[in-house]
């Protein structure tokens, strides 16, 4: 019988298996993580992708790529999962979020001595930054170029991070399609917990062997001693104060499998949200860009009746009002004098506004608080650690950016 060479799909499968074996043997941190992802051949994708359950790969891309670079891309995909990028995207634009996550991951891999394909997304200015911090710093494409819809799914050439699949959303064994049914919130939460445990265990194994690059050591340190991103705390605050009624239209999914139907906390209508931005001169353009990005996501996810933004130094310098139709937000900061926290609270009282919640973005370098505690929830988003000189505010919750 004449020799029959392996098909391109078979060549790719063998190369992926070889790469997995090398990672397992030679890379203490990545070895156990890469084994959690099921390899699936997907000729429809550009390079590779992961959804937290599978690692899809284009057979031609896999065969053409040098083995050391393929290993780097496979470790890149596991880093997406270890970082929880599938669940952290929220309402952010998919391709721009993928680019932000790539920038956050690739520098760590390069510091580990990993080989990556030419043209990957790398920027020394983003070193030690999270995807959430990088996202608002990436400019949007010109609208006359077709926007993100015309961009490649994988502009960095290191693979695409996709959302978690649901039970019926895993596609076929060849990886075709992203799945028909998206994961439920409970499924996403459980998948995220599973990856957090796996990443923490892998981090302990990697740390025990020592000699790790500084970037990976810092990343592992954050896994073992996690700090919740301020963006997530901001969303939790808004969700907590806006979902204030129970509805049978949305039964609590935690109890459905046990045959128990109880109403879920929900609000059809979200009231008036008020935000004040301290324009005393210490809030940077990067701070404003990040904050605008998060407010845009909140406005999309929990659309209020109205979002009012006040700009204040020692007095109200500007007022903007937004609804969901005004997205994305364009903040017009004015002021840049001293600092006084009292004017926004007084302005609300004079206008007869009783907001569902009040958010204050500030450096916290002021002690002129209102004499009376407001009867609405207040969140202080501090752009730096609260100093011992000024101390904690006398009311409300504090989140540090």
């Amino acid at each position: 019988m004449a020799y029959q060479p392996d098909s391109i799909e078979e060549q790719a499968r063998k190369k992926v298996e070889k790469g997995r074996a090398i990672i397992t043997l030679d890379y203490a941190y990545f070895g156990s993580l890469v084994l959690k992802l099921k390899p699936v051949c997907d000729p429809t994708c550009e390079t590779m992708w992961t959804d937290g359950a599978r690692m899809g790969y284009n057979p031609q891309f896999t065969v053409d790529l040098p083995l050391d670079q393929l290993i780097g891309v496979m470790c890149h995909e596991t880093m997406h999962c270890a970082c929880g990028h599938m669940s952290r995207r929220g309402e952010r634009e998919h391709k721009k979020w993928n680019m932000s996550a790539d920038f956050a991951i690739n520098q760590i891999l390069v510091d580990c001595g990993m080989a990556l394909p030419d043209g990957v997304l790398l920027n020394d200015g983003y070193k030690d930054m999270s995807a959430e911090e990088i996202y608002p710093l990436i400019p949007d494409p010109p609208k006359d170029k077709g926007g993100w819809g015309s961009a490649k799914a994988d502009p960095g050439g290191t693979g695409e991070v996709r959302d978690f699949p649901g039970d019926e959303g895993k596609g076929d064994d060849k990886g075709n399609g992203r799945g028909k049914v998206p994961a439920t919130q409970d499924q996403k939460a459980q998948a995220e917990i599973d990856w957090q445990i796996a990443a923490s265990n892998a981090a302990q194994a990697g740390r025990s062997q020592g000699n790790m690059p500084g970037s990976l050591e810092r990343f592992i340190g954050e896994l073992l001693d996690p700090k919740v991103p301020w963006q997530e705390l901001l969303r939790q605050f808004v969700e907590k104060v806006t979902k204030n009624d129970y509805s049978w239209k949305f039964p609590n999914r935690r109890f459905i499998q046990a045959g128990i139907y109880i109403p879920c906390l929900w609000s059809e209508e979200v009231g008036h949200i008020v935000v004040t931005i301290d324009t005393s001169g210490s809030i940077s353009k990067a701070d404003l860009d990040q904050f605008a990005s998060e407010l845009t996501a909140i406005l999309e996810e929990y659309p209020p009746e109205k979002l009012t933004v006040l700009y204040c130094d020692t007095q109200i310098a500007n007022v903007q009002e937004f609804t969901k139709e005004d997205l994305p937000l364009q903040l017009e900061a004015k002021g840049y004098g001293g600092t006084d926290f009292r004017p926004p609270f007084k302005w609300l009282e004079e206008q007869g506004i009783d907001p569902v919640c009040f958010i204050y973005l500030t450096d916290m370098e002021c002690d002129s608080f209102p004499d009376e505690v407001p009867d609405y929830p207040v969140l202080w988003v501090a752009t730096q650690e609260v100093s011992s000189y000024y101390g904690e505010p006398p009311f409300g919750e504090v989140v540090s950016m």
Side-chain angles (χ1 to χ4, degrees):
M1 179 182 291
Y3 170 72
Q4 295 292 329
D6 288 337
S7 66
I8 191 74
E9 289 80 10
E10 183 63 14
Q11 293 178 54
R13 185 192 67 78
K14 289 181 178 180
K15 194 169 182 178
V16 167
E17 288 302 319
K18 183 175 182 179
R20 279 159 56 93
I22 292 174
I23 293 170
T24 303
L25 292 173
D26 295 347
Y27 298 93
Y29 175 68
F30 299 100
S32 61
L33 297 182
V34 76
L35 296 180
K36 281 181 61 67
L37 295 172
K38 178 182 179 181
V40 288
C41 184
D42 181 6
T44 67
C45 72
E46 296 173 18
T47 54
M48 300 184 77
W49 55 264
T50 184
D51 58 10
R54 302 165 296 165
M55 180 187 294
Y57 58 91
N58 178 288
Q60 192 65 58
F61 167 81
T62 301
V63 169
D64 291 343
L65 200 64
L67 181 60
D68 60 342
Q69 294 184 18
L70 178 64
I71 288 171
V73 176
M74 292 171 70
C75 290
H76 174 102
E77 297 305 303
T78 65
M79 284 288 285
H80 276 311
C81 302
C83 292
H85 287 152
M86 292 78 62
S87 57
R88 284 164 51 187
R89 180 170 69 89
E91 298 298 321
R92 297 177 181 87
E93 201 282 329
H94 176 78
K95 291 175 185 175
K96 186 175 177 180
W97 172 251
N98 195 60
M99 293 172 65
S100 306
D102 283 359
F103 276 121
I105 287 173
N106 287 339
Q107 190 63 54
I108 296 176
L109 294 173
V110 169
D111 289 347
C112 289
M114 294 279 187
L116 293 172
D118 294 336
V120 300
L121 298 177
L122 280 170
N123 187 326
D124 289 340
Y126 297 153
K127 188 177 178 65
D128 297 329
M129 294 176 67
S130 69
E132 285 88 351
E133 292 171 312
I134 296 170
Y135 184 87
L137 304 181
I138 297 177
D140 290 327
K143 293 183 179 179
D144 59 357
K145 301 290 186 181
W148 288 117
S150 62
K152 294 195 302 180
D154 179 23
T158 47
E160 177 191 4
V161 57
R162 298 178 176 177
D163 294 338
F164 283 127
D167 288 338
E168 298 178 34
K170 296 182 179 179
D172 59 29
D173 288 339
K174 295 182 179 179
N176 295 320
R178 299 190 183 185
K180 299 178 181 178
V181 179
T184 66
Q185 289 300 320
D186 286 348
Q187 288 171 327
K188 290 179 181 179
Q190 185 58 54
E192 186 175 10
I193 290 171
D194 290 345
W195 270 105
Q196 286 174 347
I197 294 172
S200 180
N201 291 338
Q204 292 176 356
R207 175 175 280 181
S208 66
Q209 295 195 11
N211 299 321
M212 289 187 300
S215 295
L216 186 57
E217 178 65 39
R218 283 190 293 273
F219 173 74
I220 287 177
E222 292 171 1
L223 282 178
L224 299 178
D225 183 22
K227 296 176 177 61
V228 180
W230 71 271
Q231 297 93 333
E232 181 60 28
L233 295 174
L234 175 61
R235 288 170 182 239
Q236 289 177 10
F237 173 80
V238 173
E239 181 175 3
K240 178 175 65 177
V241 299
T242 56
K243 293 187 176 182
N244 56 11
D245 197 4
Y246 286 89
S247 171
W248 288 99
K249 287 177 62 179
F250 305 96
N252 193 316
R253 286 190 294 267
R254 294 183 184 179
F255 300 94
I256 289 179
Q257 291 183 345
I260 301 173
Y261 287 79
I262 62 175
C264 183
L265 197 60
W266 186 263
S267 289
E268 292 285 354
E269 298 292 337
V270 175
H272 192 167
I273 295 178
V274 176
V275 172
T276 294
I277 296 178
D278 174 3
T279 54
S280 59
S282 55
I283 306 298
S284 68
K285 177 67 164 55
D287 291 334
L288 280 176
D289 288 342
Q290 284 195 64
F291 202 58
S293 175
E294 292 308 313
L295 289 180
T296 295
I298 287 172
L299 205 56
E300 290 175 335
E301 194 166 349
Y302 315 104
E305 169 192 325
K306 184 191 301 182
L307 172 68
T308 297
V309 179
L310 309 176
Y311 302 90
C312 180
D313 44 26
T314 58
Q315 59 185 354
I316 303 297
N318 192 26
V319 178
Q320 288 182 279
E321 293 186 344
F322 301 99
T323 63
K324 190 174 182 179
E325 284 67 38
D326 299 316
L327 297 178
L329 300 186
Q330 298 294 325
L331 300 181
E332 299 175 1
K334 296 181 181 180
Y336 302 103
T339 304
D340 190 334
F341 290 145
R342 293 170 294 188
F345 297 93
K346 183 178 180 181
W347 185 88
L348 289 179
E349 183 179 353
E350 292 173 347
Q351 299 294 319
I353 297 174
D354 184 22
V356 66
C357 66
F358 181 94
I359 302 168
Y360 211 130
L361 175 68
T362 175
D363 59 11
M364 297 302 299
E365 293 189 358
C366 180
D367 57 5
S368 58
F369 295 95
D371 294 329
E372 296 184 5
V373 177
D375 57 4
Y376 41 80
V378 176
L379 179 70
W380 304 87
V381 179
T383 58
Q384 59 190 26
E385 293 295 330
V386 177
S387 70
S388 57
Y389 180 82
Y390 293 104
E392 295 279 344
F395 57 84
E397 302 177 39
V398 180
V399 171
S400 293
M401 289 177 67

